[in-house]
Amino acid sequence: MLPGMGNSITIEWSPLFEVGHARIDSEHRVFFDIIKSIDVLIREGGDVMKVLRLLRELKLYTEFHFTSEENIMEDHGYPDIMAHRRGHAEVLQELNSHVDDICRGINRLSSLIPFLFHWFASHTVSEDTKLSKYVAGKSVTDTV
């Protein structure tokens, strides 16, 4: 069983996470749902092995989603593709670090969900929205 989380946050979907690109929005929903499942399991004191299985699913889905987004960027000649890719690489590195530590018995569960949710929310609202606007034919510098 897992120890409870002290400084936890509430994970709720918001329309702010929708970027206006059907495929990206659909993939974000799946990504969000996996994070939410991990959060619920941790809050309920679930089995660490199940958390690790969900983290593996999250990692594989994240890699798929990043590849999907990067293909969209390539297909549309997105000018900020390199910076966007770096952001993707950084989050995967941090996710891998969390998973590795948890596998070695280092309890990083209390920081896992805040890290994932914060990254998801900030990256989606800023970087993925820019991408979506660009793909829709709008200027990348145009802000809402």
Side-chain angles (χ1 to χ4, degrees):
M1 297 302 259
L2 297 169
M5 287 176 47
N7 300 323
S8 59
I9 59 173
T10 302
I11 307 296
E12 296 295 334
W13 180 261
S14 168
L16 291 173
F17 304 145
E18 296 171 5
V19 300
H21 186 281
R23 181 173 175 176
I24 294 172
D25 286 339
S26 174
E27 291 175 9
H28 282 171
R29 270 290 194 175
V30 174
F31 187 77
F32 181 86
D33 287 345
I34 298 169
I35 293 172
K36 181 82 172 177
S37 294
I38 295 168
D39 180 50
V40 168
L41 185 61
I42 291 170
R43 286 176 190 276
E44 293 175 352
D47 180 62
V48 71
M49 294 310 293
K50 186 167 182 179
V51 170
L52 287 169
R53 287 195 320 267
L54 286 173
L55 284 171
R56 178 167 157 54
E57 178 183 354
L58 180 67
K59 181 181 175 240
L60 291 171
Y61 191 81
T62 301
E63 290 170 351
F64 157 78
H65 171 65
F66 288 172
T67 299
S68 178
E69 270 190 6
E70 290 168 13
N71 282 336
I72 291 168
M73 289 183 245
E74 288 281 354
D75 289 344
H76 294 278
Y78 187 60
D80 290 337
I81 189 170
M82 295 312 291
H84 206 114
R85 275 191 176 140
R86 277 192 301 278
H88 287 169
E90 289 167 6
V91 78
L92 279 173
Q93 182 178 17
E94 185 64 25
L95 177 57
N96 285 332
S97 175
H98 271 82
V99 172
D100 290 346
D101 284 351
I102 293 166
C103 285
R104 287 194 308 264
I106 299 169
N107 187 350
R108 292 188 66 193
L109 293 173
S110 63
S111 64
L112 177 65
I113 297 302
F115 155 69
L116 289 171
F117 184 70
H118 172 74
W119 181 85
F120 171 79
S122 63
H123 180 82
T124 298
V125 170
S126 73
E127 298 307 312
D128 289 348
T129 297
K130 288 180 193 175
L131 170 60
S132 178
K133 285 182 177 186
Y134 183 84
V135 169
K138 297 178 182 167
S139 171
V140 179
T141 59
D142 183 31
T143 58
V144 175

